[in-house]
């Protein structure tokens, strides 16, 4: 018998033996009809923590909006509101649990955002403390610097790119402006 026939007979024998035996373990059943609830909860916490702060950046007065000493309360109120939103963001991010694979990259994203937002929170706090003594030019500069820092912040990774998070973020209304 040639080699090809021997291989074909051996394969047929193996197949017939395998077909006649019962499996040792039942096949896995898929009971999951959607995303992991831990991921859904994480995404909800992440987006709630950041959404108001993201919107607040667009509400900051422009340099030209602060022209006289009478405009300083407007600058302080804007920085106070941003400070509160940054505190909420930091607090919310600190509360997020660590995720398991394949979404564990989200932990590095949170760490990067925490470092950035804590630094910005320190800046805003300092600007607010010094602004009453420095006047209009300082207030204008503070608003420009904070606005640029927030708008220019580009994290090395985005949450929606983490496996398992993108689809959940698309389904969450609070995530529309958060990436």
């Amino acid at each position: 018998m040639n080699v090809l026939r021997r291989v074909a007979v051996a394969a047929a024998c193996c197949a017939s033996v395998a077909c006649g035996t019962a499996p040792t373990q039942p096949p896995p059943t898929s009971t999951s009809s959607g995303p992991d609830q831990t991921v859904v909860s994480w995404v909800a916490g992440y987006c709630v923590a950041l959404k108001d702060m993201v919107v607040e950046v667009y509400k900051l007065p422009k340099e030209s909006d602060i022209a006289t000493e009478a405009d300083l309360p407007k600058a302080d109120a804007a920085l106070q509101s941003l400070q509160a939103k940054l505190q909420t963001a930091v607090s919310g991010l600190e509360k997020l649990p660590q995720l398991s694979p394949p979404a564990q990259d989200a932990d590095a994203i949170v760490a990067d955002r925490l470092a950035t937002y804590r630094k910005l929170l320190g800046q805003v706090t300092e600007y607010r403390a010094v602004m009453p003594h420095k006047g209009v030019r300082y207030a204008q500069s503070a608003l420009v610097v904070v606005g640029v820092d927030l708008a220019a912040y580009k994290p090395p990774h985005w949450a929606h790119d983490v496996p398992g998070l993108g689809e959940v973020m698309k389904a969450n209304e609070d995530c529309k402006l958060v990436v």
Side-chain angles (χ1 to χ4, degrees):
M1 197 183 285
N2 71 23
V3 174
L4 283 176
R5 280 191 186 167
R6 286 184 189 159
V7 170
V9 169
C13 288
C14 289
S16 66
V17 169
C19 290
T21 60
T24 56
Q25 294 180 353
T29 57
S30 176
T31 57
S32 175
S33 61
D36 180 347
Q37 287 307 306
T38 304
V39 170
V40 171
S41 176
W42 188 95
V43 164
Y46 179 81
C47 292
V48 164
L50 297 181
K51 77 173 185 154
D52 290 339
M53 194 249 343
V54 171
V55 171
E56 194 66 28
V57 173
Y58 298 104
K59 293 179 181 178
L60 285 175
K62 294 170 188 46
E63 183 178 9
S64 59
D65 295 335
I66 310 301
T68 68
E69 294 286 326
D71 296 325
L72 289 178
K74 183 189 322 182
D76 185 55
L79 290 175
Q80 183 179 15
S81 182
L82 180 60
Q83 182 180 28
K85 303 299 193 245
L86 281 165
Q87 287 172 331
T88 299
V90 167
S91 175
L93 291 173
E94 287 173 338
K95 293 175 185 172
L96 291 176
Q98 291 192 337
L99 292 177
S100 357
Q104 76 276 5
D105 290 344
D107 300 332
I109 291 167
V110 169
D112 177 68
R113 289 205 181 241
L114 274 171
T116 300
Y117 296 148
R118 284 178 180 142
K119 179 182 171 192
L120 287 169
L121 180 58
Q123 279 181 276
V124 171
T125 302
E126 181 180 330
Y127 292 151
R128 287 196 62 229
V130 175
M131 193 167 46
H133 311 292
K134 295 287 188 171
V136 173
R137 296 292 297 152
Y138 185 84
Q140 290 171 330
S141 295
L143 289 168
V144 168
V145 169
V146 169
V148 168
D149 285 351
L150 283 165
Y153 169 59
K154 301 290 184 241
H157 303 288
W158 302 98
H160 61 75
D161 292 332
V162 174
L165 297 186
E167 290 303 314
V168 176
M169 289 180 82
K170 286 179 187 175
N172 187 320
E173 189 66 31
D174 288 332
C175 297
K176 297 297 182 205
L177 295 175
V178 177
V179 288

